[in-house]
Amino acid sequence: MTFSRTITAVVAIAFGGAIAAGSGHGAMAQSGPGAAPSACQMRLSSDRAVFKPLGELGGPAGCGGPDVVHLERIILADRTEVAVEPPATLRCEMAEAVVTLVRQDLAPATATMGAALSAIENYDSYDCRGRNRVMGAKLSEHGLANALDIRSVRLKDGRVVRPADAGAPREFRVAMKTAVCNRFTTVLGPGSDGYHEDHIHMDRAERRGGYRLCQWDLHDGGARIAAAPSGRAPARAGFATMPVPLPRSRPFAAAAAGDRAIYLPAESRH
Ligand SMILES: [Zn+2]
């Protein structure tokens, strides 16, 4: 598949600010390669990101979503760019949330480490699979192109910082945790369930009552949670900041995914 174009800030300028600033009602709800940009794409391309529109993505078992984009780079206010490595395949509105996160929160937060932000590592984005790679489970938000896993960020001076690493600068981890939990409805990191010890999962799942899930233990001196449960869910380290009933311990299903074999409870949505 080839993509006919890459929308950049230049395109946004060509279309003018009126559409980009619009509310998004109605106009251009669907657009892929060669089609008119959606309202979301127009907002995204207003000097904020470089991406390719993919249009509506379909897949087996309900995978995919409307107005999906391939997010390559995020343009900061000072015109410098932050790469998404590798580019992430996300619903446009999820991509927009990631762009806002990077521009408003992560880029400023990296300044506390003495160097500008250069890239974020996309550990997983669109991935047509059941929740937690469990056969027969409901579709993961990854399968809906509505989730992103970030494992590391890279600074301009070459340093690579893993936010899930308790040894990473605490101020940055606190800032990132606060930001992602404000901007996404599901956040899973270290201490959440034993399966997110090396990356941060974020998605925009909608729940009854507007409940949000923010589970990321910063591990400041506390015991680390074992990463390889064999029969029961590990303790959650008392870290649920939102009033969401956590999955009960259930029999685990196992699924191997190369070097990322994981064992996950059937309910937590990752
Ligand atoms: Zn994930």
Side-chain angles (χ1 to χ4, degrees), residues 241-257:
T241 61
M242 301 296 177
V244 178
L246 298 176
R248 300 291 179 235
S249 296
R250 287 189 167 189
F252 280 75

Side-chain angles (χ1 to χ4, degrees), residues 131-148:
R131 294 180 188 177
N132 311 318
R133 304 184 189 278
V134 175
M135 291 288 287
K138 289 185 179 180
L139 202 58
S140 163
E141 290 293 322
H142 283 285
L144 300 173
N146 204 30
L148 177 67

Side-chain angles (χ1 to χ4, degrees), residues 129 142 147-149 196 199 201 270:
R129 59 173 167 81
H142 283 285
L148 177 67
D149 292 342
H196 295 81
H199 68 276
H201 167 99
H270 148 268

Side-chain angles (χ1 to χ4, degrees), residues 64-101:
D67 194 8
V68 175
V69 302
H70 203 52
L71 180 63
E72 299 175 353
R73 300 192 297 281
I74 295 143
I75 304 169
L76 303 182
D78 66 1
R79 309 298 303 166
T80 59
E81 296 185 348
V82 175
V84 181
E85 297 179 344
T89 302
L90 301 167
R91 292 183 184 218
C92 184
E93 291 184 355
M94 176 64 188
E96 184 178 23
V98 171
V99 167
T100 301
L101 171 77

Side-chain angles (χ1 to χ4, degrees), residues 17-253:
I19 296 175
S23 65
H25 288 186
M28 300 179 294
Q30 294 292 321
S31 57
S38 68
C40 173
Q41 289 174 25
M42 295 304 293
R43 294 194 301 273
L44 203 55
S45 58
S46 300
D47 293 351
R48 302 177 72 213
V50 177
F51 63 94
K52 293 186 178 79
L54 303 183
E56 182 170 359
L57 270 194
C63 281
D67 194 8
V68 175
V69 302
H70 203 52
L71 180 63
E72 299 175 353
R73 300 192 297 281
I74 295 143
I75 304 169
L76 303 182
D78 66 1
R79 309 298 303 166
T80 59
E81 296 185 348
V82 175
V84 181
E85 297 179 344
T89 302
L90 301 167
R91 292 183 184 218
C92 184
E93 291 184 355
M94 176 64 188
E96 184 178 23
V98 171
V99 167
T100 301
L101 171 77
V102 170
R103 299 180 96 241
Q104 301 294 322
D105 306 313
L106 296 192
T110 58
T112 65
M113 296 187 285
L117 182 61
S118 173
I120 60 172
E121 178 189 3
N122 160 28
Y123 196 44
D124 195 14
S125 58
Y126 175 60
D127 190 356
C128 184
R129 59 173 167 81
R131 294 180 188 177
N132 311 318
R133 304 184 189 278
V134 175
M135 291 288 287
K138 289 185 179 180
L139 202 58
S140 163
E141 290 293 322
H142 283 285
L144 300 173
N146 204 30
L148 177 67
D149 292 342
I150 294 178
R151 187 167 62 169
S152 70
V153 302
R154 194 175 71 238
L155 309 185
K156 287 258 193 290
D157 62 8
R159 274 181 289 164
V160 174
V161 177
R162 291 191 171 191
D165 184 344
R170 186 179 190 280
E171 189 175 356
F172 174 74
R173 291 185 293 125
V174 169
M176 179 169 174
K177 177 188 168 185
T178 301
V180 293
C181 288
N182 279 336
R183 297 193 183 280
F184 298 91
T185 55
T186 310
V187 174
L188 299 173
S192 60
D193 54 14
Y195 312 105
H196 295 81
E197 297 300 301
D198 67 348
H199 68 276
I200 310 301
H201 167 99
M202 60 204 73
D203 70 44
R204 288 165 48 87
E206 295 182 4
R207 295 186 183 83
R208 268 183 311 193
Y211 288 143
R212 304 164 75 95
L213 195 61
C214 171
Q215 297 183 334
W216 174 357
D217 190 340
L218 295 174
H219 287 310
D220 290 326
R224 303 290 300 257
I225 291 179
S230 58
R232 293 178 57 83
R236 289 183 174 275
F239 196 82
T241 61
M242 301 296 177
V244 178
L246 298 176
R248 300 291 179 235
S249 296
R250 287 189 167 189
F252 280 75

